[in-house]
Amino acid sequence: MTEVDVFQTHRAALFAVAYRMLGSATDADDVLQDAWLRFSAAQPADLRSVKAYLTTIVARLCLDRLKSARATREKYVGTWLPEPVATDPRREPEGSLALSESVTLAFMVLLETLTPEERAVFLLREVFDYEYDEIAGMLDTTPANCRQLFHRARGRIAERKPRFRATVDEKRPLVDRFVRAFRDGSEEELTSVLAADVGFWSDGGGKVLAARRPVFGRDHVVTLLLGIRRTAPATGISLDSVALDIVEVNREPAIVMRIAGVIEAVYVPTVEDNAITALRIVRNPDKLTYISRQLASYQ
């Protein structure tokens, strides 16, 4: 087996680590490219596990990027959200529950509350099942420090983690209702699918129109959604050119909005206890390139 074949064998697993670490599929691809260059240039003679060695390279590259990204994100215009990815179960069968949950946009937003080191240890231990001594070797620290970082991270995540779990199929009918209500401009139906304390976050990155601050409360969010629909014609957008398709994004049913065939936004609802408790809308064009390529390849 050639070096390329060996790397490709582990590529999906390495991407899974890098994407969850960085919250960006584009950056994860860049990290994998750097990892390949390092792997192809030199390998230890006594290499016992290629996967662990490659994961070490990827984890360290991601840590470096996370540390430098913190300053950049502090200057980000408006709300920063992870880059959405399409997750097609026909091509990517679900693994463990932890693996599936860890890629949802809501969960990845929670990961942003952790330090880079906490995030790395938490993901490697909780999601990817590495032992503390393995993680310590990957991150050049001690098992005791890894345990401390993990318990601190797990406690912070547990405080805010959604309590209600449902499958993609169980969530889809509610998302269907939301799409119909949004398309029809039905205030009554939108009200019926949103939780009383629903939150709304929109990421335009300062490049397109988006709410710069979160909006909370059902009445406020309904008013905002109806306003988006009502003002579309004034911005030159014909409602007839708008398509709303439900696609599995980050292991959840989400709405891909296309205008004249081009993806303009991805609406990712969080469904808990048969109500939409959060809406995260990604509009930054830079964050729609990857998913646009994915969905085009699925056709």
Side-chain angles (χ1 to χ4, degrees):
M1 187 180 288
T2 67
E3 284 184 345
V4 174
D5 293 332
V6 170
F7 189 85
Q8 287 300 123
T9 298
H10 299 290
R11 184 179 178 87
L14 297 173
F15 180 87
V17 172
Y19 175 60
R20 286 162 176 80
M21 282 276 289
L22 300 172
S24 167
T26 303
D27 288 347
D29 269 348
D30 289 345
V31 161
L32 261 60
Q33 179 63 28
D34 290 345
W36 158 247
L37 293 175
R38 296 190 182 199
F39 177 68
S40 61
Q43 301 163 44
D46 59 345
L47 190 60
R48 288 180 293 177
S49 170
V50 174
K51 182 179 180 182
Y53 177 67
L54 286 169
T55 303
T56 299
I57 295 173
V58 167
R60 291 181 179 182
L61 288 170
C62 287
L63 270 179
D64 290 342
R65 285 195 175 230
L66 276 178
K67 291 172 182 176
S68 63
R70 280 187 160 248
T72 303
R73 289 179 188 176
E74 286 175 1
K75 300 176 184 177
Y76 195 80
V77 178
T79 299
W80 183 94
L81 291 175
E83 183 179 358
V85 296
T87 48
D88 188 340
R90 294 170 299 178
R91 294 170 171 80
E92 306 157 23
E94 289 195 7
S96 68
L97 179 61
L99 191 63
S100 298
E101 283 188 336
S102 67
V103 80
T104 65
L105 231 60
F107 195 90
M108 294 185 75
V109 168
L110 282 183
L111 291 175
E112 288 294 310
T113 66
L114 306 179
T115 66
E117 292 82 3
E118 288 171 345
R119 186 167 181 162
V121 171
F122 179 81
L123 287 170
L124 291 170
R125 176 65 180 159
E126 181 78 359
V127 178
F128 298 103
D129 293 323
Y130 283 98
E131 299 296 332
Y132 287 117
D133 58 342
E134 294 177 291
I135 299 170
M138 291 176 183
L139 304 183
D140 195 21
T141 184
T142 65
N145 189 42
C146 288
R147 286 189 179 89
Q148 186 178 32
L149 288 167
F150 174 75
H151 289 299
R152 194 160 60 215
R154 187 169 63 175
R156 196 173 301 161
I157 292 293
E159 289 175 2
R160 302 171 62 184
K161 186 178 177 181
R163 293 170 296 168
F164 302 98
R165 295 174 177 173
T167 66
V168 172
D169 289 340
E170 289 169 336
K171 295 174 183 178
R172 175 141 186 161
L174 194 69
V175 178
D176 277 325
R177 287 174 55 196
F178 173 83
V179 170
R180 289 196 299 271
F182 188 37
R183 183 182 289 126
D184 297 340
S186 171
E187 179 178 356
E188 181 180 359
E189 187 63 13
L190 281 173
T191 299
S192 74
V193 299
L194 300 178
D197 59 350
V198 63
F200 178 102
W201 294 263
S202 184
D203 179 348
K207 300 186 177 184
V208 294
L209 186 63
R212 294 199 176 185
R213 294 182 179 180
V215 177
F216 297 100
R218 182 162 49 206
D219 291 343
H220 294 301
V221 173
V222 168
T223 298
L224 179 60
L225 290 169
L226 293 176
I228 291 172
R229 186 185 182 283
R230 184 175 59 253
T231 58
T235 61
I237 299 172
S238 167
L239 292 180
D240 292 336
S241 69
V242 177
L244 301 173
D245 300 312
I246 298 179
V247 174
E248 186 180 303
V249 172
N250 291 73
R251 298 294 184 201
E252 298 197 277
I255 302 106
V256 172
M257 175 186 285
R258 291 181 175 87
I259 298 177
V262 177
I263 296 179
E264 296 288 335
V266 177
Y267 284 59
V268 185
T270 296
V271 176
E272 300 176 54
D273 199 22
N274 203 35
I276 293 174
T277 58
L279 271 171
R280 295 180 174 87
I281 292 85
V282 179
R283 297 206 65 229
N284 184 340
D286 295 341
K287 296 184 179 183
L288 299 176
T289 302
Y290 189 90
I291 193 171
S292 295
R293 289 201 307 267
Q294 281 186 296
L295 295 178
S297 71
Y298 288 174
Q299 294 176 354

